[in-house]
Amino acid sequence: MAKFETPALPEIPVIPKLQPDIMSHSSPYVAKPEIQEPLGYPGELVDNWEQVAIEKLGELKGKYRSVQVFLDACVKCGACTDKCHYYLGTADPKNMPVARQDLLRSVYRRYYTLAGKWFPKLVGARDMTKEVLDEWYSYFYQCSECRRCSVFCPYGIDTAEIAMAAREVMGSLGQGQKYSNEIIGKVFKVGNNLGLPGPALADTLEGLEEDVEEDTGIKVRYPLDEKGAEVLLVSPSADFFAEPHVDGLIGYGKVFHQAGISWTLSSYASEGANFGLFIGSYENMRQVSYRVREAALELGVKRIVYGECGHAWRVAYSFLNTLAGPFDFLDPRYPVPQHICEVTYDLMKRGVLKFDKSANDDMVVTYHDSCNVARASRMGDTPGGQFTIPRELVKATCNHFVEMSPDTLYDATFCCGGGGGLLTDDLLELRVKGAMPRMQALKEVVENDGVTHLANICAICKSQFTKVFPYYKYGMDMIVGVHQLVSNAIVMDKQ
Ligand code: SF4
Ligand code: SF4
């Protein structure tokens, strides 16, 4: 266990007393040149980095009007100040969303507003200095881009988008984040963020087929690179090996098998994750998305379905068509893309799938809305489907389901604390502290309702909770994926 204090879980949510700069030491490792360069960034801090930073900021505010609107529109009403899990968990005032925005806003004002040019002190404008850059690197990597603050902002200011712009500026001047950029590089090189080559993936899937056959007596297939399959499944690569993720992949396979839908994974696009989002780089996001298009064309599939991964779904739902479309070669009867929960829900509604809820009777389950699904996407054809569809699946597969406090769910859900490119051990203290508000809500249902398991549909949430639960004295095996519940309860009667 690392050396920092795990926050105590209060009985009711509490707004902490300010502890200025308490998290100023928290900074992720900087990417080395060999990680930076394949992504189109300079290897290290360029000589004239101050100028590059100012110019890049100018470029981004022109390209993405939202960035400029968000930087101009804040009236300092304070509604967002107590809404960020990192502020609630760390007490550092720079983790208040408005203060985080101001780190960038102060530089924007200095160079791009008249008042900032002539009266910088009066309008809180600052020169671009090394001290400012260090602050950016620390605090813009203390934002998981979860968008909770934007739900409460009367102007809809999205701090996530400001953080993405700041990260893109930093990457462009040679100060990228090791964790996210290394992962993007691996996806370009090998197809997934684990660096798992095709033959190793084929072995893993073969092993999975044997395990499932041993368990169910049914030969469920986990196909790779199968031309002519109906569905291309794009899943987070964590699904290939780690628990509880792999239990979800087992579930997807059972759903397709029972419904008689042919499907395949692709060794070329074997990664749902798209960390281009986290670093604010639409170009890197486009390149990762494009692999999915290429794989779909190469394999001749008719549908693209995404597995349980929150930010992958955000990118897919919100950007896939723009970045890698048009997908006019796919079957127009299905949305592009589709979420695996939509597929399973639809099959359940049509009576194609049946569940035996008693298979999950050893669990009392609660459901955590993953922020990227909740606040940056939708699911199905009715508003709010991203909330109702996964819950309907949990209720259809479990007899015992309990909700956490509504203030912490749906579009007000708290981030797990590890999203937005922060799921790295160099940020463990931040992750543990940022998880506090979710842990507090969980504690209530554990103590009052006997909840034993927390279900969700995000690979990052699953990994983050597995890591931080022991800090809060909960077992790592409390985490389940929705398709793990589906996998346990699905009635398999087709050979
Ligand atoms: S987007 Fe999320 S993590 Fe970032 S400041 Fe807002 S609430 Fe905090
Ligand atoms: S809620 Fe919006 S307008 Fe108010 S301080 Fe926060 S960002 Fe500014």
Side-chain angles (χ1 to χ4, degrees):
M1 295 257 179
K3 283 190 190 124
F4 55 82
E5 224 174 291
T6 303
L9 294 181
E11 287 307 310
I12 53 164
V14 172
I15 299 171
K17 282 199 187 125
L18 303 185
Q19 295 195 50
D21 297 324
I22 188 92
M23 289 301 285
S24 59
H25 61 278
S26 175
S27 270
Y29 295 145
V30 176
K32 294 206 166 111
E34 58 271 27
I35 292 174
Q36 281 280 97
E37 283 159 2
L39 274 58
Y41 294 131
E44 51 195 32
L45 208 56
V46 294
D47 290 339
N48 59 338
W49 63 266
E50 294 95 334
Q51 197 50 36
V52 175
I54 295 160
E55 281 166 14
K56 189 73 189 176
L57 181 56
E59 180 196 319
L60 294 185
K61 81 170 180 60
K63 214 152 119 190
Y64 312 122
R65 293 306 298 272
S66 52
V67 171
Q68 179 159 7
V69 170
F70 294 156
L71 290 173
D72 281 333
C74 175
V75 294
K76 302 287 189 293
C77 70
C80 62
T81 50
D82 59 348
K83 303 302 185 294
C84 176
H85 51 291
Y86 291 119
Y87 167 63
L88 296 172
T90 67
D92 189 322
K94 289 206 179 90
N95 277 327
M96 291 176 170
V98 58
R100 198 184 316 283
Q101 296 163 22
D102 275 354
L103 299 175
L104 193 72
R105 184 175 286 123
S106 54
V107 175
Y108 160 76
R109 284 204 171 137
R110 178 75 183 90
Y111 299 99
Y112 292 104
T113 67
L114 212 57
K117 278 178 190 158
W118 289 99
F119 314 107
K121 288 225 165 66
L122 270 184
V123 294
R126 295 189 300 175
D127 288 342
M128 186 70 224
T129 62
K130 185 68 173 60
E131 197 191 340
V132 170
L133 178 62
D134 291 345
E135 229 175 17
W136 281 11
Y137 196 67
S138 177
Y139 287 99
F140 282 119
Y141 282 100
Q142 296 189 45
C143 168
S144 55
E145 301 173 354
C146 78
R147 309 184 87 206
R148 187 171 197 267
C149 48
S150 72
V151 170
F152 295 90
C153 172
Y155 293 86
I157 294 174
D158 185 358
T159 318
E161 206 162 315
I162 294 177
M164 284 160 66
R167 292 182 187 184
E168 168 73 339
V169 171
M170 290 188 280
S172 308
L173 49 93
Q175 186 152 330
Q177 186 211 20
K178 174 178 184 281
Y179 171 67
S180 294
N181 292 5
E182 192 169 31
I183 281 178
I184 297 169
K186 277 188 199 160
V187 173
F188 288 160
K189 227 170 160 179
V190 192
N192 57 63
N193 79 35
L194 302 173
L196 199 65
L201 187 52
D203 270 3
T204 307
L205 295 172
E206 232 175 81
L208 217 55
E209 287 183 357
E210 285 162 19
D211 292 348
V212 174
E213 189 173 6
E214 210 176 286
D215 202 35
T216 62
I218 295 174
K219 203 162 174 42
V220 177
R221 300 205 49 230
Y222 291 85
L224 183 67
D225 294 332
E226 225 156 78
K227 287 199 174 181
E230 182 175 343
V231 167
L232 168 64
L233 181 80
V234 185
S235 214
S237 58
D239 281 1
F240 299 137
F241 76 107
E243 281 186 346
H245 312 254
V246 70
D247 301 300
L249 178 59
I250 291 173
Y252 316 150
K254 287 183 182 174
V255 166
F256 288 131
H257 176 94
Q258 186 64 18
I261 299 171
S262 65
W263 67 289
T264 186
L265 291 155
S266 152
S267 58
Y268 180 69
S270 52
E271 180 60 81
N274 192 331
F275 279 36
L277 175 82
F278 297 156
I279 62 167
S281 165
Y282 288 88
E283 176 49 28
N284 279 289
M285 221 195 300
R286 187 190 67 79
Q287 287 185 45
V288 176
S289 299
Y290 216 78
R291 295 179 78 93
V292 175
R293 176 193 176 86
E294 289 171 325
L297 277 168
E298 167 68 19
L299 295 168
V301 297
K302 299 190 181 71
R303 300 160 64 181
I304 299 175
V305 174
Y306 273 73
E308 294 184 2
C309 180
H311 86 278
W313 181 241
R314 173 177 178 175
V315 176
Y317 182 88
S318 304
F319 301 108
L320 191 67
N321 283 283
T322 322
L323 294 174
F327 286 94
D328 46 6
F329 56 91
L330 297 175
D331 186 336
R333 289 174 302 165
Y334 299 95
V336 182
Q338 246 187 324
H339 194 281
I340 186 69
C341 284
E342 283 177 275
V343 175
T344 305
Y345 178 73
D346 176 56
L347 292 166
M348 176 182 90
K349 283 280 171 211
R350 289 196 283 121
V352 179
L353 300 182
K354 300 252 179 300
F355 299 116
D356 171 12
K357 291 184 181 197
S358 68
N360 288 316
D361 268 355
D362 55 328
M363 305 183 201
V364 180
V365 180
T366 193
Y367 181 73
H368 160 79
D369 291 286
S370 302
C371 47
N372 279 305
V373 177
R375 286 187 287 265
S377 75
R378 275 189 178 179
M379 205 182 278
D381 52 12
T382 47
Q386 74 271 33
F387 307 123
T388 51
I389 290 176
R391 278 179 174 78
E392 288 302 314
L393 289 176
V394 174
K395 287 187 216 160
T397 53
C398 299
N399 277 312
H400 311 296
F401 173 66
V402 175
E403 289 276 27
M404 287 183 279
S405 162
D407 298 345
T408 73
L409 293 178
Y410 298 87
D411 59 356
T413 188
F414 276 115
C415 169
C416 64
L422 310 184
L423 191 77
T424 167
D425 281 354
D426 39 322
L427 294 174
L428 189 56
E429 176 182 1
L430 178 77
R431 289 167 53 191
V432 169
K433 293 181 172 175
M436 190 278 282
R438 173 46 78 224
M439 294 299 107
Q440 195 276 328
L442 178 65
K443 176 182 135 114
E444 283 177 17
V445 288
V446 167
E447 291 178 357
N448 299 336
D449 304 286
V451 161
T452 60
H453 287 80
L454 180 137
N456 66 86
I457 53 169
C458 174
I460 286 180
C461 293
K462 289 172 195 169
S463 301
Q464 157 74 353
F465 286 138
T466 304
K467 185 85 180 189
V468 304
F469 265 20
Y471 288 86
Y472 291 95
K473 313 274 182 268
Y474 292 121
M476 293 155 99
D477 55 359
M478 258 184 107
I479 317 300
V480 285
V482 166
H483 274 79
Q484 182 176 348
L485 300 172
V486 166
S487 173
N488 295 344
I490 191 168
V491 177
M492 300 285 287
D493 55 11
K494 295 226 168 86
Q495 270 308 323

